[in-house]
């Protein structure tokens, strides 16, 4: 199957109420353009250099999502154009986004990434850190930031039960804050587990290899 057929096969499985972010990290502009031509506008990248290059050379109505670990010293490179920073995974990062956003007088949309996987390799805020940030947010500590919701990655495992537990836990956490903070985005689910994630209330899935093929 080519990229366009694979993209359409993925889209078919996703209801209107769930947003699809096509994760284009490592893939070439040509492949991104093929999916863009079918109407896709939300794309996700995890390397700042690559994101900036793609932003400069691809159509300007693309909404770029930062989905991977973001170094604080690179925040200012993406702030002027990034649509949603999905990977606020440590308190230091949100402080840095706030201070850089003030300088350019911009409001920045973010998701707080919560650690739900057992694996040590998966980053994210602990529930304690999450609660602290949201308390500060309620006290207007981050006036240039709009927190739209939460993001999480499940463990890389064949055990569906484990993945389901992690997604439903994140959904519970999301629900406990949703009303107070007017959250509208729960980003969970990738190529291997987006259907499981949608069954557990995901409103945004991040799908890469299932659309673009094996990553280089
Ligand atoms: C790479 C990546 C994805 C997409 O992964 P696929 O398995 O290729 O769909 C989703 N979310 C994050 C945070 C990623 O880094």
């Amino acid at each position: 199957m080519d990229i366009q057929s694979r993209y359409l096969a993925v889209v078919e499985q996703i209801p209107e109420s769930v947003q699809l972010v096509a994760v284009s990290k490592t893939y070439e502009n040509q492949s991104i353009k093929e999916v863009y031509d079918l109407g896709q506008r939300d794309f996700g990248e995890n390397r700042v250099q690559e994101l900036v290059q793609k932003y400069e050379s691809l159509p300007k109505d693309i909404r770029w999502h930062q989905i991977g670990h973001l170094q604080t010293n690179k925040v200012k490179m993406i702030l002027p154009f990034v649509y949603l920073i999905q990977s606020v995974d440590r308190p230091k990062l949100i402080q840095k986004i706030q201070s850089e956003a003030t300088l350019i007088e911009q409001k920045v949309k973010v998701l707080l990434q919560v650690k739900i996987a057992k694996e040590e390799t998966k980053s994210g805020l602990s529930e304690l850190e999450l609660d602290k940030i949201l308390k500060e947010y309620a006290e207007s500590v981050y006036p240039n930031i709009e927190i739209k919701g939460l993001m999480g990655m499940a463990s890389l495992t064949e055990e569906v039960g484990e993945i389901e537990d992690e997604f439903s836990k994140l959904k519970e956490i999301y629900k406990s804050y949703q009303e107070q903070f007017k959250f509208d985005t729960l980003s969970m689910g990738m190529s291997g587990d987006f259907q499981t994630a949608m069954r557990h209330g995901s409103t945004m899935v991040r799908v890469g290899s299932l659309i673009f093929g094996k990553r280089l």
Side-chain angles (χ1 to χ4, degrees):
M1 270 210 287
D2 58 12
I3 289 180
Q4 301 208 341
S5 320
R6 282 199 302 260
Y7 171 72
L8 293 172
V10 168
V11 167
E12 235 171 54
Q13 300 172 62
I14 299 174
E16 291 277 332
S17 55
V18 175
Q19 269 183 284
L20 168 63
V21 176
V23 176
S24 49
K25 64 187 188 201
T26 76
Y27 302 108
E28 290 175 5
N29 288 351
Q30 177 52 38
S31 306
I32 297 174
K33 194 67 182 14
E34 280 184 46
V35 173
Y36 174 90
D37 287 340
L38 292 173
Q40 179 68 26
R41 290 296 177 270
D42 292 89
F43 290 88
E45 291 283 332
N46 70 343
R47 292 221 179 83
V48 165
Q49 231 91 18
E50 195 177 333
L51 174 55
V52 171
Q53 274 169 14
K54 285 174 174 172
Y55 164 71
E56 282 167 358
S57 46
L58 285 158
K60 288 295 172 290
D61 63 342
I62 288 180
R63 296 191 290 250
W64 292 105
H65 298 242
Q66 169 70 32
I67 58 166
H69 183 78
L70 175 59
Q71 285 174 262
T72 47
N73 64 355
K74 294 195 171 144
V75 167
K76 63 167 168 292
M77 292 169 72
I78 61 168
L79 273 202
F81 68 88
V82 75
Y83 176 71
L84 179 65
I85 298 176
Q86 296 207 12
S87 45
V88 175
D89 57 1
R90 56 203 194 282
K92 230 180 98 169
L93 181 58
I94 195 164
Q95 291 156 12
K96 182 67 173 179
I97 295 170
Q98 170 54 35
S99 62
E100 292 291 344
T102 311
L103 294 179
I104 57 171
E105 294 178 23
Q106 195 162 310
K107 190 112 181 179
V108 183
K109 293 202 274 279
V110 309
L111 301 180
L112 301 179
Q113 182 176 348
V114 184
K115 181 171 160 58
I116 49 170
K118 293 211 181 86
E119 298 156 56
E120 278 309 314
T121 51
K122 297 274 192 318
S123 63
L125 300 162
S126 66
E127 286 182 64
L128 216 65
E129 289 172 319
L130 174 71
D131 197 64
K132 183 156 179 284
I133 287 175
L134 287 171
K135 283 211 173 84
E136 293 167 345
Y137 182 58
E139 292 161 1
S140 304
V141 173
Y142 307 111
N144 290 69
I145 294 177
E146 186 183 352
I147 300 175
K148 303 291 290 176
L150 306 180
M151 187 268 242
M153 284 169 93
S155 296
L156 199 64
T157 170
E158 299 288 303
E159 280 183 53
V160 182
E162 170 67 28
I163 296 171
E164 304 218 52
D165 287 349
E166 292 172 0
F167 284 150
S168 69
K169 181 171 175 207
L170 184 58
K171 170 75 186 198
E172 284 307 310
I173 299 171
Y174 178 78
K175 274 194 342 211
S176 69
Y177 293 110
Q178 182 176 22
E179 210 170 314
Q180 184 186 356
F181 295 103
K182 301 190 171 64
F183 285 171
D184 61 12
T185 308
L186 177 57
S187 174
M188 54 185 200
M190 322 196 335
S191 288
D193 56 21
F194 74 99
Q195 282 156 325
T196 310
M198 290 192 304
R199 279 203 303 279
H200 287 279
S202 169
T203 71
M204 180 180 275
V205 294
R206 312 175 309 269
V207 179
S209 46
L210 204 58
I211 295 171
F212 294 104
K214 234 184 158 57
R215 211 165 273 121
L216 305 171

